[in-house]
Amino acid sequence: MPDAPSPTARPHAPEPPAPEPPAPASPQPASPESASSESASPEPATAPADAGNGSAHPLAPPAPAPAPPSHRVLKSLLGAWALAACSAEETAAVEEHLTDCAPCADEALRLRDAVGLLHPADPLDLDPLLRSRVLEGCLGRRPARIPVPEWAAPYDAETAKLDALLSDMGEAEWQAPVRLRWFEDERPAERRTTVAGVIGHLMAVDGLVATALGLGDPLGAAAPHGPAGPDDRTEACWQAIADGRAPHATRGPWRDQSHTLVRTVSFAGHGVTGLAVPYGGTRLPLRDAFLDRAFECWVHAGDIAEAVDYPYEAPAAGHLHLMVDLAARLLPRALAYRRRAGLAPPPQRLVEAGAPGRTLHLEVEGSGGGHWYIALDSPGALGTPDRTVAHIALDSMEFCQLAAGHVPPEETAAGQHGEPEAIRDVLFATASLSRL
C-alpha cells in the first residue's frame, strides 16, 4: 500500500530511511488510523509550540552572550583604569584586553607611571629638621674646618627658612599687609607694614650686630646719625623703601648680610663672644644677640606666613631651647626695669648679688622646653628650688608667643600655683621682652 512504511525501513538500521512522499495539496484532518501510523514512524515527532499561551518550548536554545566591548571602548577606559576608577566589570574587561593588545598594554604602563606623579603638592618650606640631618650626615663624613658656633646655628637656620619662603613669593605678595604686634607700657601695640617692610626691619636691626662686628651698615647713607635703637633704624629703612626702592629689593641685601654675619663669627672663633651689641638703651653679648635675632626672624617669618596664608614650622627643638633659655635669663633684668618704671611693686627685700632669694619656678613644656628658676628680688640674686614661692607651667609655643608680645599676659594659658603677685610680675615681664 502506498501509505505503509517500506519493509526495509527500521528504526536502528544503518541506512537512511526512504524519502517521504510529497505532502498533499490541502491538509486533511488526521484520522485515528493516520495518528497511529504516525506514531509508528521511525522519526520522533517534534511537538509544536503551545498556541494557547505562546510560551517557548523548554528545549529552545539559550539567548546569546553580549558581545565584548570594542577595542576603541577599552582603549578609552585606560585612563580610568590607571586611576582605579573603573567598575569591577570594566576592570576585568580592560585587563583581559591588555593580555592580547600590545599597544594598549604599553599605553596602560605609561598611564600607570604618570599616575604615580599625581600626588598632593609638597609645601614650599622644607622639613625644619632636614637641614640639620643633612649637615649632620655631611659633617660625620667630613667635619667642617670652620664650624658654625652653636649659638649662631639658630640664626643660620631661621634665616635660611625665611629665605626659602620668600623665594616662592610673587611680586604682588611682597605688598601683602602684615601686622606686627608687641607689648608696650602694660598694653598691646601693633604696626601695619608689608612683607617688604618686615624684611627691611629685620635687615635694619641685624645691622646692629653687623656694625658691632665691624661690618658695613646695610642702611648706608639712610642710617640715622649717632646711636640709634631698633625703632629708629626701622623707620629709616621703611622711609628708604617708600622713596622708591623696589619691594623685593630688600631680600638680596638682607640675605647677603645674614650670610656674612654667620661667616664672620665662624671665622672669628671664641674670642668674638666678648663683644656687646647695643640695642638702644640696653646691650646684649654677641651670642645672646644672635639668639635674639634668630627668635625675631622666626616670629616675623610667622607674621609673613600668616599674611600670605602659608604654614610655617617652629624651630628645631635644640634651637628653640636656646631661644627660650635666653628669654628666661632676661626675666630678672626685665623685672627690675618694670620696677624702676613704676610698673611693678618693689621687691619684698633686697638680696645681695649671688645670694639666694625668692624664686619662681618656670616650667616650659613641649619641644625646646625645660625648667628655670627665676630670681624675683634682684637681677643679681640666685634663684633656687628651695626658695620657690610660685610656679608657672607653659607650653613652649605659648611662652614664645608671650615673649613675642602676641598673647596678652592676662590671656596666657598658664598653669599657676603660689603667690599671685609674683606670677603676674613674671608674666608681664615676659611680655615686656617684646618690641617692634
Side-chain angles (χ1 to χ4, degrees):
M1 297 174 54
D3 296 335
S6 172
T8 60
R10 293 184 174 88
H12 301 288
E15 293 83 8
E20 294 289 330
S26 59
Q28 299 295 328
S31 65
E33 291 79 8
S34 62
S36 62
S37 64
E38 288 174 3
S39 63
S41 174
E43 291 297 327
T46 302
D50 189 349
N53 55 19
S55 60
H57 193 274
L59 299 180
S70 66
H71 171 83
R72 180 179 180 182
V73 172
L74 292 172
K75 184 176 181 181
S76 68
L77 290 174
L78 291 179
W81 173 84
L83 292 169
C86 289
S87 66
E89 294 78 7
E90 292 171 337
T91 300
V94 169
E95 292 178 353
E96 183 179 358
H97 178 68
L98 295 181
T99 61
D100 299 326
C101 182
C104 285
D106 293 339
E107 180 68 12
L109 290 177
R110 287 194 294 269
L111 291 172
R112 182 59 62 88
D113 292 341
V115 168
L117 303 176
L118 299 177
H119 55 80
D122 294 329
L124 299 179
D125 54 334
L126 299 177
D127 178 358
L129 300 180
L130 176 62
R131 187 174 187 274
S132 299
R133 289 198 299 267
V134 172
L135 287 176
E136 183 179 357
C138 294
L139 295 177
R141 294 174 178 268
R142 180 179 297 178
R145 298 179 184 177
I146 310 295
V148 176
E150 179 188 10
W151 43 267
Y155 176 78
D156 188 26
E158 293 308 311
T159 52
K161 280 172 52 184
L162 175 54
D163 188 58
L165 172 62
L166 299 176
S167 66
D168 292 295
M169 291 178 52
E171 186 75 21
E173 290 177 307
W174 280 88
Q175 295 292 355
V178 181
R179 184 165 64 112
L180 303 182
R181 294 167 289 167
W182 69 99
F183 191 79
E184 185 177 8
D185 296 335
E186 299 287 288
R187 64 181 183 274
E190 70 174 51
R191 182 75 179 269
R192 300 277 179 168
T193 184
T194 62
V195 173
V198 175
I199 302 305
H201 165 62
L202 291 175
M203 181 180 67
V205 184
D206 286 355
L208 292 171
V209 182
T211 54
L213 288 170
L215 303 174
D217 193 326
L219 298 183
H225 297 289
D231 293 356
D232 295 334
R233 292 179 59 81
T234 297
E235 293 293 344
C237 182
W238 285 351
Q239 184 61 45
I241 295 176
D243 287 343
R245 179 184 295 182
H248 62 273
T250 55
R251 179 192 170 198
W254 165 77
R255 191 62 178 128
D256 291 342
Q257 177 178 251
S258 65
H259 280 308
T260 303
L261 289 174
V262 174
R263 284 198 302 268
T264 300
V265 297
S266 298
F267 279 95
H270 295 289
V272 76
T273 57
L275 292 175
V277 178
Y279 277 82
T282 186
R283 301 171 73 87
L284 285 176
L286 183 66
R287 60 178 300 142
D288 288 349
F290 263 83
L291 292 174
D292 171 80
R293 303 313 307 141
F295 179 77
E296 187 168 1
C297 181
W298 166 49
V299 169
H300 288 327
D303 295 333
I304 292 174
E306 180 181 356
V308 298
D309 194 22
Y310 195 83
Y312 203 75
E313 297 291 337
H319 295 171
L320 186 61
H321 178 80
L322 293 175
M323 299 178 197
V324 173
D325 178 71
L326 172 63
R329 289 188 286 109
L330 292 177
L331 282 178
R333 185 193 301 181
L335 285 168
Y337 173 82
R338 286 175 51 79
R339 290 182 180 126
R340 289 195 300 269
L343 301 175
Q348 294 186 2
R349 66 186 184 90
L350 296 177
V351 178
E352 296 180 358
R358 294 168 61 250
T359 302
L360 180 137
H361 177 199
L362 173 62
E363 180 182 359
V364 180
E365 303 169 337
S367 176
H371 296 266
W372 288 266
Y373 293 90
I374 312 301
L376 297 173
D377 296 324
S378 172
L382 182 64
T384 58
D386 58 326
R387 296 293 185 93
T388 298
V389 298
H391 174 235
I392 298 176
L394 280 161
D395 177 75
S396 58
M397 291 296 102
E398 186 81 10
F399 178 79
C400 291
Q401 290 297 306
L402 177 62
H406 286 192
V407 179
E410 305 92 335
E411 301 177 10
T412 303
Q416 306 174 8
H417 176 73
E419 295 184 7
E421 185 177 277
I423 293 172
R424 182 185 184 279
D425 286 347
V426 170
L427 290 177
F428 273 78
T430 304
S432 71
L433 296 175
S434 64
R435 62 172 183 273
L436 171 64

